[in-house]
Amino acid sequence: MGYSKKIDFMLFSEKELPSEIWQSLVHELHRGSLDSKHPFRYSNLATIGKFGPEIRTVVVRSINKNFEFYIFTDSRSEKVAEITANPSATLHFYHPGKRAQIRIKAKAEIHRQNDLSEAFWSKVQGDAQKAYTSTLAPSTPISDPNQGFDWPEMSDDRFFCCFEIYPQNG
């Protein structure tokens, strides 16, 4: 006995209008910001560093109705210095099951110790705050792995910051 099984590998079909494709992509990106298991939850963030392009994987925490992306980081990280020097950035998403790749050229704005960063900080709970309160700055060389587990007794938001990333034309 044989059976047939339809496998949906594509996010959209050739029959869909560009506006339908766009809405599908926007929907998937929004899902990624809400669902920790969705492939679009993670993005590659490219910036311009001192010696050329830099890229790293980041977590997309939120996308608003204006299609602005929000990513959290430690204000002592190299990417903050890179965005400060040059706000140009690119977000790259890949969905392996749908074979869909999205690249968004953007500008990034840093929010630290302001209303927006404080609103997001209030949603970072428990041990998740440790990602932004380590005694050592990100990328600090260590000689003993235990040095990477040094946090102050009380957590605060002094090193927490949020990138607001908004798409650019062209």
Side-chain angles (χ1 to χ4, degrees):
M1 256 178 111
Y3 66 92
S4 66
K5 181 176 172 185
K6 182 183 177 206
I7 300 175
D8 179 22
F9 282 111
M10 298 301 290
L11 191 56
F12 49 86
S13 73
E14 66 276 354
K15 295 176 184 175
E16 290 179 275
L17 297 171
S19 61
E20 294 171 320
I21 294 169
W22 173 249
Q23 287 306 314
S24 179
L25 292 173
V26 168
H27 173 76
E28 290 294 320
L29 287 165
H30 278 281
R31 280 190 56 212
S33 72
L34 300 171
D35 180 356
S36 64
K37 293 184 168 99
H38 194 283
F40 288 169
R41 176 70 166 180
Y42 301 95
S43 174
N44 295 308
L45 171 66
T47 57
I48 303 298
K50 291 178 190 173
F51 304 105
E54 296 288 346
I55 192 163
R56 76 282 289 154
T57 302
V58 295
V59 179
V60 176
R61 302 296 181 164
S62 180
I63 302 172
N64 71 15
K65 63 182 179 185
N66 297 323
F67 207 55
E68 295 161 339
F69 297 77
Y70 297 92
I71 294 167
F72 303 165
T73 192
D74 185 311
S75 63
R76 301 168 293 173
S77 70
E78 291 177 20
K79 60 186 163 286
V80 172
E82 292 161 4
I83 293 294
T84 300
N86 183 343
S88 295
T90 298
L91 289 173
H92 173 263
F93 298 87
Y94 182 68
H95 191 307
K98 305 277 187 177
R99 296 183 186 172
Q101 176 173 226
I102 302 171
R103 195 171 48 152
I104 301 170
K105 293 183 184 223
K107 295 287 183 193
E109 185 176 334
I110 300 166
H111 293 273
R112 182 170 176 241
Q113 302 286 305
N114 65 15
D115 290 343
L116 183 69
S117 66
E118 289 171 9
F120 277 121
W121 177 252
S122 70
K123 296 176 184 177
V124 180
Q125 300 296 314
D127 281 347
Q129 291 182 345
K130 290 181 177 180
Y132 315 103
T133 60
S134 172
T135 304
L136 298 174
S139 300
T140 299
I142 58 174
S143 57
D144 177 355
N146 291 320
Q147 291 175 293
F149 296 95
D150 188 22
W151 293 280
E153 288 186 33
M154 297 295 294
S155 292
D156 62 35
D157 67 344
R158 72 183 136 166
F159 300 129
F160 176 78
C161 75
C162 173
F163 288 145
E164 181 177 22
I165 300 176
Y166 42 98
Q168 299 290 294
N169 293 330

